[in-house]
Every structure is written in C-alpha cells, then in structure tokens.
C-alpha cells in the first residue's frame, strides 16, 4: 500500500512540470503529463525549424510494479525515408536517467521496474543486441529471448544512471524531477 501511496503522491507532485533543457543547437525542453495513473516523461527539441518529440510513459500495476509502457520517438526513422534526428543522440538515455533519478526519491529500492520491449522498426537499423545493451547499461535484466517478446526488469536499488551527451551537449544523467525546483 505504501508503494501505491508514494506513486500517487509522486504523480501529484510531478503534474505540469516544464523545464528547458540546454542543447548546443536549437532549443529543447522537458515536460510531464499525467493521465489517471500514467506518467508521461516528454522531451521535445526544435532542430532546424522542426519539432521532434520523444516520450516515456509508465504506470503502477495492480501487482505493485512500475511498468514502463512505452519509450517512443527515438527510433532511427521518422518514416520510410527520413532519419530521426533524435535517434542515437542520448534522448532515450536522458529519459531513462530522469526516470531512475525521480523514482529513487519516492519509491523503496525494492520496487520492481519492468517493461516489454516492442519489436523493432527494422532489425537492420535496430539490432536486438543493441537494444538489449541499452537497457543493460542501466542495470536491467533481459528476460525471454524471443524476437519482440523480451522484458526488462530490475529492482530500483540496482539501477544506475548512465551519463550520455544529449544532442551534443555536455554529459548528462537526466533530471531529478523531485528536486528540480530547488536546482533552478
């Protein structure tokens, strides 16, 4: 019950956060949105006159696990012909780091974080090994080695942030949303 209460309180505290994010070219920002028990961590960047977005969404399941529902917007292609400028630029790492930093302030280290890996857009552009390695570097275990049927899972206390350059900026380990208002 305490996990549920902490998660719900976190949602109340994170409602409507908007934060500029420094990048070398263009402008970027981070914002949250909440729909029922689903938390959306959103990153948007205006690059060369176009806005590109990435999003990670999560919820608390009935069995008291934090489930990553989706991580979208950083796939290699926007459509069949156009490369995604957010792909390979540290945006996914920024979102996962922000998730870890934020949850560490609210939930016990024994809280289980889990999610399913969806089938990649293209096995050539998104090799399964690269996707697995991405999640492993934060400390997640990968279960179920079938194509598109893999699950990431880890206790919160075993997760670590992984500093990476966000769109060419200095190394960053994401945001700590629970304390961001004290930093600015």
């Amino acid at each position: 019950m305490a996990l549920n209460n902490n998660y719900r309180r976190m949602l109340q505290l994170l409602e409507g956060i908007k934060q500029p994010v420094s990048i070398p070219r263009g402008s970027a920002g981070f914002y949250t949105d909440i729909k029922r028990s689903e938390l959306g961590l959103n990153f948007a960047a205006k690059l060369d006159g176009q806005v590109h977005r990435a999003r990670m969404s999560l919820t608390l399941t009935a069995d008291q696990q934090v489930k990553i529902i989706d991580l979208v917007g950083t796939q290699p292609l926007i459509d069949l012909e156009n490369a995604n400028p957010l792909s390979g630029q540290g945006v996914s790492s920024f979102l996962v780091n922000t998730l870890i930093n934020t949850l560490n302030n609210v939930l016990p280290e024994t809280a289980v974080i889990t999610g399913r890996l969806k089938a990649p857009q293209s096995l050539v552009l998104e090799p399964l090994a690269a996707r697995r390695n991405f999640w492993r570097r934060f400390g997640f275990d990968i279960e179920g080695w079938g194509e598109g049927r893999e699950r990431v899972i880890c206790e919160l206390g075993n997760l670590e942030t992984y500093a990476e350059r966000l769109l060419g900026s200095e190394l960053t380990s994401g945001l700590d949303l629970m304390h961001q208002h004290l930093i600015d």
Side-chain angles (χ1 to χ4, degrees), residues 21-181:
V21 177
S22 178
I23 59 171
R25 61 180 181 89
S27 60
F30 174 88
Y31 62 97
T32 62
D33 66 75
I34 297 167
K35 295 175 186 146
R36 292 188 208 106
S37 68
E38 184 179 315
L39 170 62
L41 304 177
N42 301 278
F43 178 83
K46 188 171 185 179
L47 305 167
D48 303 321
Q50 289 198 315
V51 175
H52 302 278
R53 289 180 170 71
R55 175 181 169 84
M56 172 182 271
S57 55
L58 57 128
T59 192
L60 187 65
T61 65
D63 61 352
Q64 301 293 292
Q65 293 185 352
V66 175
K67 180 181 178 186
I68 299 170
I69 299 168
D70 222 345
L71 174 57
V72 296
T74 59
Q75 68 277 7
L77 297 176
I78 293 174
D79 54 38
L80 293 176
E81 298 177 8
N82 296 302
N84 184 346
L86 299 185
S87 179
Q89 297 299 311
V91 176
S92 291
S93 294
F94 178 82
L95 291 171
V96 174
N97 284 334
T98 297
L99 173 71
I100 293 168
N101 288 333
T102 301
L103 294 181
N104 272 329
N105 290 302
V106 180
L107 302 181
E109 61 183 28
T110 56
V112 175
I113 316 301
T114 185
R116 293 237 178 252
L117 296 181
K118 293 184 177 176
Q121 186 179 18
S122 162
L123 285 175
V124 173
L125 297 174
E126 297 178 88
L128 293 176
R131 295 177 69 191
R132 292 173 187 139
N133 289 337
F134 170 81
W135 291 100
R136 279 191 188 119
R137 70 181 172 194
F138 298 101
F140 283 98
D141 293 319
I142 311 292
E143 294 180 346
W145 293 97
E147 262 184 57
R149 296 182 183 183
E150 294 157 329
R151 177 171 98 135
V152 296
I153 187 167
C154 191
E155 285 189 352
L156 180 58
N158 293 327
L159 293 175
E160 295 182 18
T161 59
Y162 181 87
E164 193 162 4
R165 296 185 189 285
L166 177 63
L167 293 164
S169 66
E170 297 298 316
L171 286 174
T172 180
S173 292
L175 300 173
D176 170 355
L177 297 178
M178 299 306 291
H179 295 99
Q180 193 63 36
H181 65 287

